[in-house]
């Protein structure tokens, strides 16, 4: 549905994107993760044909993002993180306008979404808060018949209840066979929704794959309680961050060392053993550990 190859974008001397390769397959929710300033919006602007790439290629539906933008836009819906609307139109008028531009007319879906997002469509856009402007854009996008949804930090300004509604919309889109590119710096959001993620940092993709694939690179959190105290656990290969908590011991283990570590601790008589998978947050933080100095 979407592919960038060696996508590079320079603003003067500044390289905002440096050889970005991402791919969104049909029916997939792809999470595009990175801190502020990493290059998410720039990538998306190139994909939308708003910015011209300096080098490399951006394709949607096999067509060129810059040259074939008009064709492509008939089949995509876009929600930015900071929505600007016509101040003198009402939210309802803006929704109708967007939906009409995309050539679809889903009155019932529109009504349902306005209700779900608890939006008053009769108010002028100039009176809307940031969150309400986001809602207008989200209702427009999800009542359109698009094949690909490009969502650039779409929930900034939404409260947690509305974020949940947003997640339902994305899941419904996926169920209907649609594809989604969802950029975010909220890792928990992406963790819940995405089939695969790409992590971008300073204009470069540093990791890409399914959440399970990425977790292989990470550590498991373990909490154990044993009959005899465990000796010298911190000296085992792959064990990190050992902490004593009352009668139990908590630490992290590199995924590939689990087997060895569990075998070792079992000699001390396991009374309790809890394990939790790493969150995307853990994974993300580890990517920054090595580079804090230059951050
Ligand atoms: N039009 C522009 N001119 C110069 N620099 C820009 C422009 N747009 C973005 N940048 C820079 O490119 C980098 C990536 O920005 P952006 O893609 O907006 O990041 P993100 O969306 O991941 O927060 C930032 O350092 C930003 O300041
Ligand atoms: Mg951005």
């Amino acid at each position: 549905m979407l592919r960038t190859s060696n996508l590079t974008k320079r603003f003067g001397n500044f390289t905002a994107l440096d050889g970005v390769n991402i791919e969104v397959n049909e029916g997939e929710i792809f999470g595009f993760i990175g801190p502020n300033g990493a290059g998410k919006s720039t990538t998306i602007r190139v994909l939308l044909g708003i910015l011209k790439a300096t080098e490399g290629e951006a394709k949607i539906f096999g067509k060129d993002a810059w040259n074939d933008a008009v064709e492509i836009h008939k089949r995509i819906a876009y929600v930015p993180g900071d929505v600007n609307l016509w101040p003198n139109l009402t939210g309802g008028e803006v929704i109708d306008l967007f939906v009409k531009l995309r050539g679809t007319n889903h009155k019932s879906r529109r009504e349902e979404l306005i209700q779900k997002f608890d939006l008053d469509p009769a108010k002028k856009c100039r009176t809307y808060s940031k969150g309400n402007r986001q809602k207008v854009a989200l209702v427009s996008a999800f009542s359109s018949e698009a094949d690909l949804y490009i969502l650039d930090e779409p929930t900034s300004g939404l409260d947690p209840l509305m974020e949940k509604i947003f997640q339902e919309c994305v899941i419904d889109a996926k169920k209907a066979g649609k594809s989604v590119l969802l950029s975010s710096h909220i890792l928990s959001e992406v963790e819940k929704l995405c089939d695969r993620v790409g992590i971008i940092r300073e204009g470069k993709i540093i990791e890409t794959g399914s959440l399970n694939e990425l977790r292989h690179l990470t550590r498991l959190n373990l909490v154990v309680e044993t009959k005899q105290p465990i000796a010298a656990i911190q000296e085992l290969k792959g064990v990190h961050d050992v902490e004593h908590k009352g009668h139990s011991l908590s630490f992290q283990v590199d995924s590939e060392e689990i087997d060895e570590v569990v075998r070792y601790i079992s000699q001390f008589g396991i009374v309790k053993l809890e394990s939790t998978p790493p969150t995307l947050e853990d994974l993300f933080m580890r990517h920054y550990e090595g580079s804090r100095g230059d951050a």
Side-chain angles (χ1 to χ4, degrees):
M1 300 300 281
L2 178 159
R3 171 177 283 139
T4 70
S5 324
N6 192 32
L7 191 64
T8 299
K9 177 67 192 177
R10 279 187 284 271
F11 297 107
N13 285 333
F14 178 73
T15 304
L17 301 179
D18 189 2
V20 167
N21 296 310
I22 57 169
E23 202 178 284
V24 181
N25 301 310
E26 192 167 354
E28 177 175 84
I29 305 175
F30 182 84
F32 194 30
I33 308 291
N36 289 329
K40 303 180 295 296
S41 297
T42 303
T43 305
I44 287 173
R45 286 192 195 111
V46 173
L47 284 163
L48 293 170
I50 299 170
L51 288 174
K52 196 165 197 274
T54 312
E55 277 166 43
E57 258 188 356
K59 292 201 158 179
I60 295 183
F61 313 131
K63 298 185 172 112
D64 183 75
W66 180 259
N67 293 314
D68 307 322
V70 174
E71 272 304 295
I72 290 169
H73 278 254
K74 290 177 186 160
R75 293 171 57 199
I76 62 179
Y78 165 59
V79 178
D82 203 354
V83 176
N84 289 305
L85 302 169
W86 295 272
N88 287 326
L89 297 185
T90 67
E93 286 167 342
V94 171
I95 293 168
D96 288 342
L97 183 63
F98 276 131
V99 172
K100 221 150 122 196
L101 279 176
R102 293 198 185 100
T104 42
N105 188 13
H106 287 283
K107 270 266 181 280
S108 58
R109 182 72 177 145
R110 174 193 184 276
E111 295 319 311
E112 184 195 333
L113 288 172
I114 285 174
Q115 290 244 314
K116 271 185 149 183
F117 278 109
D118 193 22
L119 175 75
D120 180 353
K123 289 217 169 97
K124 298 265 194 212
C125 289
R126 93 161 76 77
T127 68
Y128 282 142
S129 63
K130 175 171 165 51
N132 278 325
R133 295 198 300 272
Q134 287 308 121
K135 289 178 185 181
V136 169
L138 288 166
V139 171
S140 308
F142 288 113
S143 31
S144 305
E145 197 58 61
D147 294 320
L148 174 66
Y149 293 82
I150 298 182
L151 312 172
D152 190 4
E153 309 215 18
T155 58
S156 50
L158 291 191
D159 59 45
L161 199 69
M162 291 303 142
E163 176 149 352
K164 191 139 186 299
I165 304 287
F166 162 77
Q167 289 171 2
E168 285 170 22
C169 288
V170 174
I171 290 165
D172 286 346
K174 184 187 157 77
K175 278 188 192 143
K178 315 295 189 183
S179 314
V180 181
L181 172 66
L182 171 62
S183 103
S184 181
H185 67 273
I186 307 168
L187 303 159
S188 57
E189 175 172 287
V190 158
E191 202 165 20
K192 265 179 233 142
L193 292 172
C194 296
D195 303 299
R196 287 191 315 121
V197 300
I199 301 176
I200 186 168
R201 177 172 177 265
E202 292 175 3
K204 288 197 178 87
I205 297 289
I206 51 174
E207 210 70 68
T208 176
S210 70
L211 288 178
N212 277 337
E213 277 163 0
L214 295 190
R215 283 208 180 89
H216 281 300
L217 305 164
T218 70
R219 301 164 183 170
L220 207 66
N221 302 305
L222 287 187
V223 179
V224 289
E225 203 179 311
T226 45
K227 285 186 193 129
Q228 287 105 44
I230 304 177
I233 182 88
Q234 60 279 357
E235 273 147 47
L236 291 190
K237 192 167 161 241
V239 170
H240 311 266
D241 298 341
V242 180
E243 275 180 59
H244 294 268
K245 287 186 183 157
H247 290 292
S248 53
L249 198 63
S250 84
F251 52 92
Q252 297 185 342
V253 190
D254 291 343
S255 302
E256 63 271 22
E257 299 297 334
I258 293 283
D259 196 35
E260 213 32 64
V261 170
V262 172
R263 212 185 318 245
Y264 177 79
I265 58 176
S266 69
Q267 359 163 20
F268 302 95
I270 296 175
V271 178
K272 186 181 91 177
L273 176 65
E274 286 171 13
S275 82
T276 42
T279 61
L280 201 54
E281 197 95 52
D282 295 335
L283 182 131
F284 204 53
M285 287 320 289
R286 283 189 62 200
H287 271 293
Y288 294 92
E289 274 175 5
S291 53
R292 266 184 204 144
D294 57 52

